[in-house]
Amino acid sequence: MFSRCLVSQVKHNSYFLIGLLIGLWVSLAVIPLDEEPAPCVATVGSASPVQDEFVPQREEKPAGSGQTAGRSVQRPRYYSTELGMRGSLLTGILSSEEALKVQVPALNRTAARLQPALKFFITASAMSTVPGLANVVGFTDTREMLKPFHALKYLADNYLEEYDFFFIVSDTAFVNARRLTQLVSQLSVSQDVYMGRVADDESHYCSLDNGIILSNSVLRAIHSELDWCVRNSYSPHHYENIGRCVLHSAHLSCNPDVQGEHYSSVVIENDQLPLTESLADAVTVYPIMDTHRFYEIHAYISRVFLERDHEEVLKLRSYMWHNSARHPPGYRNSTWPAGLRDDPGLARPLPGNRFDHLRWTAINGTHAFFPDDHHNVLPITGAYREALDLVLTQVRAWSLHRWPEALDVQLVEGAWKWEPAVALRYRLLLRLTAKEDKDTHMSRLVEAVRPLGAARLVPVRYVTESARLSAVLAAPHTARHAADLAAFLQRYEAVCLNQDKNTALLLVIVKQPSQPSVGNTTEVDLMKENKETVAALKSRHKDAQIEVVETSLESPSHEHASEVELLQEAQRAALALALQRVPRDSLVLLAVPHIDFNQDFLNRVRMNTISGEQWYLPSAFSRYAQYEHPAFVTPTGAKPQSNTGRFNVHLSLVSSFYRSDYDSAVAEWPGPGGADPAAVLVRSGLRCVRAPEPGLVYASRGAPCGGAGDAACVSRLVTQLHTLDLGAKHSLAQLLLETQAELDQ
């Protein structure tokens, strides 16, 4: 039985079996012709490696060709586009050419709150007939039935990525812009929204005359099915065609209640509209044919909103009046800038840098600890003393009233913090002594606030950044200052000659009186190189005003004079010579060679120096000497950064003033001649502006004493060390150790 069935299958599939056998024979016969088998030459157990035929290709590039440019990233123009931030609402009003001079102006004025996200769509017979208004869009297609879909396509093509919700309405409806924006602000764009008033024919569509709200996702779905919507637009009513399109594309029916919010609309019957407060809660009012009715309804609704705002203000005043009884005495009538408060529940924003960080200053009854960057402990005096006494008096009175069981209140410790434009805050730890048992004490933490008083406007002269600046640079004739002068000239060319071009430089080289050619060959060569550099600058910049003069001190410098003393003597001699060469009304900047500055510093010099009223004394940023020390590293093993240092308030080597003001100050100077320019100006009637200047940097200096042979300098510094505070002692002690090690060697 089985053999008979097998023979029958072979007979019926004989041609297939013959072809299969021929194919197998041909494939076996052709394989040796394509690839010969490789002979096996390696013996079993041999350790010879497998040969790899891959040869790497080395690409040779010419030197200096640079790296291949990577893919350029095109970023959007606005950060809101890159972050996907969109506007809340765009309103589109379906209108006509006939209504442009009737309803459209009234709608444009009464719905001004919606601007600029307000568009009017009309059907124009030709593009030339479309009026040149910014918010009017005309379509040349005269088929009235397709006007809503032209409007929807225009909104989707141009504003789909810019707005979350879209509101479509006819031009015969008054739009309550305030209620509409309030309603949309309560809706979430994460859900599909097809919101409005259901048409009166009990359909599933929203009435276009009363307005339709579409979410971004619904309009996107409509845009993808727009061809189907156009083909199935057979109804004479626009709202039916739109509703049918939404039902097909987004599978939504009209819903007046979405996410807990209700869409309200008022329909005028028999041309009678009673003015009630319900109009303020309605999004639209329909139909309106008279233009004056738009303004009448808008005026009434605005009055209702004003009355509601007034009631809210009265409630807030009543709430504040009831809570004022809980305030401490003396603060019940004080105002507080509510706009400057921190938002509840949100952390304060981080300061931009360490100088903007508001810090607490620890205090006790008599002293303040670390009040600034230059002192460890300072007694509380002056206005701070009076303010603290006033606060302690009020806090003691309030504490005795708050805790009647206390007999006495004493300050243990505390802290204050100054918040600009707000108040001065105090946090005080108090020790309360009990009445019944004087040995029993209680600790309480109290926070007190002194709000700012009335703001006063300070009249300030009008100044500009276009004043011409005359820089006077005093350079002692030494090798060290010659090197600093070379760096200064490079900086002057980069900042002044290439950018500012409104400055003049008077370079004064100051020599010792007893040695007109003071210094060794190196010093003379360096000064000669600087003069050649000045000549090169004047040749490269034809309009550059640079003058080099030489002068001598009246008396030789002290044998162990410090660098600051040498610079001050040189400045006095240089200024005496420079005042004879600059005009009387010129702005003078007195500087030293080892400074680094930028354009912002020069502009602040011009703005902060006022003729007849004010002179400028900047506190430059001084880099620590360790910044350039070859063996100094931070605790982490890295080299110090360029901002390693502090603002130096003890040096007054850079200042700016008008020559006429300085001449008047010298005439009023009661002391002997040869005083520092800053000391002379301080004693005058001018106002001094003293502030940290980040655009002015003192270059880091080396050890205050040189190598072997400077034992007298070390002894003098040891004597000065006893007069410094703790922070300065640590900085100077490290330099003394380095110098002493060199002397020991």
Side-chain angles (χ1 to χ4, degrees):
M1 186 70 179
F2 176 75
S3 59
R4 187 179 299 175
C5 180
L6 181 61
V7 172
S8 176
Q9 293 295 331
V10 170
K11 288 182 179 181
H12 288 86
N13 299 287
S14 58
Y15 294 103
F16 171 74
L17 296 175
I18 293 173
L20 179 62
L21 294 175
I22 293 175
L24 293 175
W25 179 80
V26 171
S27 61
L28 293 175
V30 173
I31 286 177
L33 299 178
D34 292 341
E35 181 180 0
E36 293 293 337
C40 183
V41 297
T43 60
V44 178
S46 63
S48 60
V50 179
Q51 299 294 331
D52 190 359
E53 297 180 357
F54 173 75
V55 178
Q57 300 293 330
R58 183 176 181 180
E59 182 180 359
E60 298 290 343
K61 290 185 178 181
S65 60
Q67 298 181 354
T68 305
R71 181 175 62 89
S72 60
V73 179
Q74 298 293 334
R75 300 189 62 181
R77 181 176 183 181
Y78 304 103
Y79 71 89
S80 58
T81 305
E82 186 174 10
L83 298 178
M85 300 171 61
R86 296 183 295 208
S88 59
L89 177 66
L90 176 64
T91 302
I93 299 178
L94 301 182
S95 184
S96 60
E97 286 187 275
E98 296 78 11
L100 285 178
K101 297 182 179 180
V102 187
Q103 287 99 336
V104 170
L107 276 169
N108 201 23
R109 292 189 180 97
T110 56
R113 182 186 289 265
L114 302 176
Q115 295 283 5
L118 178 62
K119 301 293 181 182
F120 293 91
F121 301 101
I122 65 173
T123 300
S125 57
M127 291 300 296
S128 59
T129 62
V130 178
L133 300 179
N135 58 344
V136 176
V137 181
F139 306 117
T140 57
D141 192 349
T142 58
R143 290 176 292 180
E144 185 68 20
M145 186 181 301
L146 299 182
K147 183 194 295 183
F149 297 105
H150 283 299
L152 292 175
K153 184 178 185 302
Y154 176 84
L155 295 177
D157 292 340
N158 297 278
Y159 300 103
L160 191 60
E161 302 299 333
E162 298 183 15
Y163 293 93
D164 291 332
F165 294 95
F166 300 87
F167 181 68
I168 310 297
V169 70
S170 64
D171 59 354
T172 57
F174 170 82
V175 179
N176 188 354
R178 183 167 179 173
R179 172 57 186 158
L180 177 61
T181 55
Q182 181 184 4
L183 174 64
V184 171
S185 65
Q186 302 299 322
L187 299 178
S188 174
V189 73
S190 60
Q191 299 180 8
D192 297 339
V193 176
Y194 175 44
M195 191 177 187
R197 176 171 177 166
V198 181
D200 296 335
D201 55 0
E202 298 182 357
S203 62
H204 300 287
Y205 310 141
C206 293
S207 173
L208 180 63
D209 297 328
N210 295 294
I212 302 174
I213 298 179
L214 301 175
S215 63
N216 186 281
S217 57
V218 173
L219 183 61
R220 192 182 300 272
I222 293 176
H223 188 255
S224 62
E225 299 291 340
L226 202 58
D227 294 337
W228 184 94
C229 298
V230 172
R231 291 194 304 267
N232 292 271
S233 298
Y234 50 82
S235 175
H237 302 290
H238 291 325
Y239 75 90
E240 293 183 355
N241 296 328
I242 296 176
R244 189 181 304 109
C245 181
V246 174
L247 186 62
H248 171 75
S249 58
H251 309 288
L252 292 176
S253 58
C254 182
N255 190 357
D257 298 301
V258 177
Q259 302 177 14
E261 298 294 329
H262 178 70
Y263 186 96
S264 176
S265 179
V266 176
V267 179
I268 301 176
E269 298 179 357
N270 300 326
D271 200 20
Q272 299 294 328
L273 178 63
L275 298 178
T276 60
E277 291 191 6
S278 60
L279 293 177
D281 299 325
V283 179
T284 57
V285 180
Y286 168 83
I288 299 178
M289 301 301 178
D290 187 6
T291 306
H292 299 286
R293 185 62 68 86
F294 281 97
Y295 299 107
E296 181 183 358
I297 298 175
H298 179 69
Y300 178 78
I301 292 178
S302 300
R303 190 184 73 178
V304 172
F305 281 125
L306 287 175
E307 292 176 353
R308 291 180 179 179
D309 293 340
H310 182 65
E311 293 177 358
E312 190 69 22
V313 170
L314 292 179
K315 292 181 181 178
L316 183 59
R317 286 181 178 176
S318 176
Y319 173 77
M320 295 175 63
W321 183 81
H322 286 293
N323 284 342
S324 63
R326 303 178 182 178
H327 294 178
Y331 295 95
R332 296 182 180 179
N333 296 326
S334 62
T335 59
W336 194 276
L340 298 177
R341 287 181 179 175
D342 295 333
D343 294 336
L346 298 180
R348 292 170 177 251
L350 295 177
N353 51 59
R354 64 186 181 95
F355 304 108
D356 296 336
H357 179 70
L358 302 179
R359 61 183 182 184
W360 290 89
T361 301
I363 61 173
N364 57 17
T366 57
H367 290 76
F369 302 93
F370 299 101
D372 50 40
D373 294 336
H374 311 288
H375 299 89
N376 299 329
V377 181
L378 277 182
I380 303 176
T381 58
Y384 291 97
R385 178 75 267 172
E386 296 178 3
L388 182 59
D389 292 341
L390 177 61
V391 170
L392 291 177
T393 302
Q394 295 290 334
V395 168
R396 286 192 179 97
W398 182 83
S399 301
L400 293 175
H401 178 73
R402 174 65 176 81
W403 296 288
E405 65 276 8
L407 176 63
D408 188 21
V409 178
Q410 296 294 331
L411 175 65
V412 179
E413 61 181 4
W416 68 45
K417 181 177 72 171
W418 163 245
E419 296 184 5
V422 180
L424 183 62
R425 295 182 177 272
Y426 293 86
R427 288 181 180 176
L428 307 175
L429 180 60
L430 306 177
R431 182 174 65 238
L432 279 63
T433 304
K435 290 182 179 180
E436 299 179 355
D437 187 3
K438 296 184 179 181
D439 295 334
T440 303
H441 302 284
M442 299 177 293
S443 297
R444 295 291 185 269
L445 183 62
V446 177
E447 182 171 352
V449 179
R450 291 194 63 198
L452 295 183
R456 293 180 298 174
L457 298 179
V458 179
V460 179
R461 288 287 187 91
Y462 176 75
V463 292
T464 63
E465 298 178 353
S466 60
R468 186 165 186 80
L469 186 63
S470 299
V472 178
L473 186 66
H477 196 279
T478 61
R480 182 174 190 177
H481 295 99
D484 295 334
L485 181 58
F488 176 86
L489 292 176
Q490 295 179 1
R491 190 64 178 172
Y492 183 82
E493 180 183 13
V495 176
C496 298
L497 299 182
N498 295 334
Q499 300 178 14
D500 192 276
K501 296 183 179 180
N502 197 20
T503 59
L505 176 62
L506 179 59
L507 176 57
V508 183
I509 300 177
V510 183
K511 300 180 179 180
Q512 296 291 333
S514 58
Q515 299 176 356
S517 59
V518 65
N520 50 27
T521 306
T522 304
E523 297 174 355
V524 176
D525 293 341
L526 289 175
M527 285 300 177
K528 184 178 179 181
E529 292 178 1
N530 289 330
K531 292 181 180 180
E532 294 176 354
T533 303
V534 171
L537 291 178
K538 297 175 69 174
S539 62
R540 287 197 300 267
H541 305 275
K542 300 301 181 180
D543 55 346
Q545 296 186 9
I546 305 177
E547 184 179 0
V548 181
V549 295
E550 295 183 1
T551 185
S552 300
L553 298 176
E554 296 180 359
S555 59
S557 301
H558 192 267
E559 182 180 0
H560 301 296
S562 63
E563 182 184 14
V564 176
E565 295 173 350
L566 289 176
L567 290 172
Q568 290 176 349
E569 293 177 353
Q571 281 189 337
R572 290 194 293 268
L575 188 59
L577 179 63
L579 293 179
Q580 304 173 6
R581 297 175 175 267
V582 297
R584 181 173 173 78
D585 58 345
S586 60
L587 175 59
V588 179
L589 173 63
L590 187 61
V592 290
H594 63 284
I595 61 172
D596 188 5
F597 60 95
N598 55 18
Q599 181 69 32
D600 295 336
F601 165 67
L602 299 180
N603 292 334
R604 278 190 286 269
V605 167
R606 297 184 176 99
M607 298 294 291
N608 293 329
T609 310
I610 304 175
S611 178
E613 294 186 10
Q614 184 172 290
W615 65 288
Y616 185 40
L617 184 62
S619 298
F621 187 82
S622 298
R623 292 197 178 105
Y624 289 148
Q626 293 91 333
Y627 171 64
E628 291 185 352
H629 198 283
F632 183 82
V633 294
T634 60
T636 59
K639 292 291 291 182
Q641 301 296 323
S642 60
N643 57 355
T644 305
R646 67 174 183 177
F647 286 99
N648 197 333
V649 298
H650 302 291
L651 292 182
S652 57
L653 298 177
V654 180
S655 59
S656 63
F657 47 84
Y658 279 87
R659 183 203 159 179
S660 58
D661 296 338
Y662 185 78
D663 292 341
S664 302
V666 171
E668 299 174 0
W669 175 250
D676 293 336
V680 174
L681 291 169
V682 166
R683 291 295 299 270
S684 66
L686 300 176
R687 181 174 59 248
C688 176
V689 174
R690 180 74 161 165
E693 179 53 68
L696 179 63
V697 179
Y698 286 133
S700 58
R701 318 305 287 164
C705 299
D710 283 349
C713 177
V714 175
S715 301
R716 177 173 51 84
L717 291 179
V718 170
T719 304
Q720 296 178 356
L721 184 61
H722 297 285
T723 62
L724 301 177
D725 58 359
L726 185 60
K729 287 181 180 180
H730 286 301
S731 302
L732 186 56
Q734 185 172 358
L735 299 177
L736 290 176
L737 291 176
E738 298 175 0
T739 306
Q740 189 65 40
E742 295 180 2
L743 295 176
D744 295 341
Q745 294 177 0

